[in-house]
Amino acid sequence: MRYVVLDTETTGLEAREGHRIIEIGCVEVIGRRLTGRHFHVYINPEREVDEGALAVHGISTEFLADKPRFGEVVDEFFEFIKGAELIIHNAAFDIGFINHEFARLKDRPQLGEVLDHCSVLDTLLMARERHPGQRNSLDALCKRYGVDNSGRELHGALLDAEILADVYLAMTGGQTSLSLAGQNGDGEGGNGPQVAEIRRLPADRPLTRVIRASEAELELHAARLAAVAKSAGGPALWQQLEQAAEDVASTLH
């Protein structure tokens, strides 16, 4: 399955109020690995960027003035996402804006809507199902799953897509920690994953000393097992399996 992790930045919050896409960032994931292929572009929205949006992403109207318009980059963008499953955080927002941009291009009616060409997985909905009642912003998920987002001072479409790819892989990769703590650093309860840093030991470290049981200790152990088996009416299951394995091995020799 080919996945494309996607994020956009816009001039404001509502496409129906005339706001436009100003940045698209996409990264490709195949076989649970980032392939290194990506699509990234800044877009001239042909309108002013709202002050509230500017405070979030830091992309000014002046910076976008010499950038291509959406119609000039749409073909390359469409080829990159076509046929993929799109992974998006709060997908309704991004898909709504992309559909709005497609609809503006009267000379490309074949574009239709995103869902005509792609499937969509919303990581915000996934996170809400897995962590009900908790914060599920991208920053909160990074903290919960141990994903490094230290370079994310402002929102940026390509950086956010790369971070979301790591978050998605962590969310869908099974157990992420052996920690049994009841609270994590975010103050969240023990029902969610508890993430502990993985520490790699040096390969040239001193080997752990192995202390083997003495003959006397082995005899005491065997006597204890016999007493347990007598009390329980039979040997433990692991002893039965061990004996069965020995029986099979003896028949093969």
Side-chain angles (χ1 to χ4, degrees):
M1 184 68 183
R2 178 174 179 263
Y3 300 93
V4 171
V5 187
L6 180 150
D7 187 59
T8 66
E9 301 297 340
T10 63
T11 61
L13 294 176
E14 292 289 346
R16 59 190 173 190
E17 294 178 2
H19 285 293
R20 307 285 303 279
I21 293 175
I22 59 173
E23 185 187 10
I24 301 174
C26 303
V27 295
E28 182 182 62
V29 176
I30 297 178
R32 295 189 59 77
R33 293 182 181 274
L34 288 161
T35 66
R37 290 190 67 222
H38 70 274
F39 175 86
H40 180 234
V41 66
Y42 291 103
I43 299 167
N44 182 345
E46 303 175 88
R47 59 156 293 157
E48 296 289 318
V49 177
D50 275 9
E51 290 186 8
L54 179 62
V56 171
H57 51 59
I59 304 172
S60 67
T61 304
E62 293 72 26
F63 173 79
L64 297 168
D66 62 347
K67 301 301 183 287
R69 292 170 174 79
F70 186 82
E72 299 173 66
V73 301
V74 66
D75 292 333
E76 185 181 359
F77 169 59
F78 180 73
E79 285 303 314
F80 193 87
I81 67 170
K82 183 174 64 175
E85 178 162 12
L86 303 182
I87 299 173
I88 308 174
H89 200 67
N90 191 16
F93 179 87
D94 300 86
I95 295 300
F97 266 92
I98 295 170
N99 285 341
H100 177 72
E101 295 288 353
F102 282 176
R104 289 175 59 90
L105 300 174
K106 304 303 183 185
D107 60 332
R108 290 179 175 86
Q110 72 277 13
L111 292 176
E113 295 189 346
V114 171
L115 288 177
D116 296 333
H117 313 282
C118 308
S119 57
V120 176
L121 186 153
D122 190 338
T123 51
L124 178 58
L125 297 181
M126 177 187 292
R128 285 174 175 169
E129 290 177 358
R130 296 189 177 199
H131 313 291
Q134 301 181 34
R135 294 190 302 114
N136 289 301
S137 66
L138 185 55
D139 284 335
L141 292 177
C142 285
K143 189 170 185 178
R144 187 173 300 142
Y145 286 96
V147 173
D148 181 14
N149 66 338
S150 56
R152 192 181 186 243
E153 296 181 4
L154 293 171
H155 289 225
L158 183 59
L159 175 60
D160 284 3
E162 292 171 343
I163 291 173
L164 180 58
D166 288 339
V167 167
Y168 169 74
L169 292 174
M171 288 176 69
T172 57
Q175 186 173 10
T176 60
S177 170
L178 297 179
S179 171
L180 300 179
Q183 291 282 111
N184 62 25
D186 198 28
E188 294 173 348
N191 292 329
Q194 305 296 318
V195 180
E197 180 182 0
I198 298 175
R199 297 170 56 196
R200 304 295 182 190
L201 298 177
D204 59 350
R205 69 188 185 280
L207 296 179
T208 303
R209 183 185 176 194
V210 178
I211 302 176
R212 301 190 181 280
S214 67
E215 288 297 326
E217 289 170 330
L218 291 173
E219 290 177 5
L220 288 172
H221 178 64
R224 170 59 64 181
L225 291 179
V228 171
K230 182 177 181 180
S231 175
L237 177 60
W238 63 267
Q239 289 179 286
Q240 297 176 42
L241 294 174
E242 186 179 62
Q243 184 60 53
E246 291 177 357
D247 294 343
V248 171
S250 66
T251 62
L252 298 176
H253 291 85

